Amino acid sequence: MKLKTVDDTRAFGRRLAGLLRPGDLVLLTGPLGAGKTALAQGIGAGLGVEGPITSPTFVIARVHRGPVPLVHADAYRLGDRPDPRAEIDDLDLDASADDAVTVVEWGVGLVEQLNDEYLQVRLDRLDDDTRIVELSPHGGDWAHRLESM
Ligand SMILES: Nc1ncnc2c1ncn2[C@@H]1O[C@H](COP(=O)(O)OP(=O)(O)OP(=O)(O)O)[C@@H](O)[C@H]1O
Ligand SMILES: [Mg+2]
């Protein structure tokens, strides 16, 4: 699906939030500036959590309170650590993951260990500066849940 503006990306995130329930893991992938944080903002708005959702520069993960809390993590800075998997474990994301929706930017190859069922959302930037979004279900009932999107 094509997302012409940042507002379209946020609106897509709000729609996606309608599918989400506590315990879900969503991986946001795509290059720098693709719109991963913008999508996370839409998801947060859809879940009705407290904001603002920003790029976590100094923290790797932040919990946003709400009816269903949102754990928003950015694994980008973990990429150059000697043992990124251990650092992900140290964050204890799985301790909060049962009651929350966990959204991780740049998490591929790192956070699948948290949950073998997850939704992958890939964003790509086209030459005309619009974005393309692609959803890939991994395990669980994700494929079925995506039918309503
Ligand atoms: N259709 C679009 N969807 C999302 N962002 C867009 C779109 N068009 C333009 N933008 C701009 O692209 C930028 C996307 O930034 P954002 O921080 O969401 O990307 P990111 O993928 O999280 O980057 P990073 O890899 O640094 O975490 C914003 O400045 C936004 O305004
Ligand atoms: Mg980001």
Side-chain angles (χ1 to χ4, degrees):
M1 179 191 289
K2 205 163 163 140
L3 302 167
K4 280 180 89 170
T5 68
V6 66
D7 285 339
D8 293 333
T9 299
R10 294 201 183 102
F12 183 79
R14 284 199 299 275
R15 268 178 67 204
L16 194 59
L19 295 185
L20 300 176
R21 8 181 229 251
D24 282 346
L25 175 63
V26 180
L27 298 194
L28 304 183
T29 65
L32 278 170
K36 300 178 293 295
T37 299
L39 189 71
Q41 289 166 346
I43 292 173
L47 293 175
V49 300
E50 291 172 21
I53 293 173
T54 55
S55 296
T57 310
F58 298 107
V59 289
I60 291 164
R62 196 174 272 146
V63 181
H64 297 272
R65 286 175 225 278
V68 177
L70 174 68
V71 178
H72 176 221
D74 194 327
Y76 182 64
R77 292 190 310 125
L78 291 177
D80 55 3
R81 307 286 178 89
D83 189 358
R85 281 166 193 277
E87 305 222 18
I88 282 277
D89 279 342
D90 285 350
L91 288 175
D92 250 351
L93 289 178
D94 38 358
S96 42
D98 285 347
D99 326 300
V101 166
T102 303
V103 172
V104 183
E105 299 188 31
W106 293 102
V108 170
L110 288 177
V111 299
E112 291 91 336
Q113 59 189 322
L114 294 175
N115 192 332
D116 52 16
E117 299 174 9
Y118 59 94
L119 176 66
Q120 184 174 348
V121 184
R122 163 135 200 127
L123 284 161
D124 269 299
R125 187 175 180 168
L126 303 184
D127 286 344
D128 62 1
D129 210 35
T130 61
R131 305 297 193 271
I132 288 286
V133 65
E134 193 188 339
L135 301 175
S136 319
H138 292 266
D141 59 354
W142 275 116
H144 179 69
R145 284 157 76 182
L146 289 181
E147 282 166 18
S148 61
M149 277 298 278

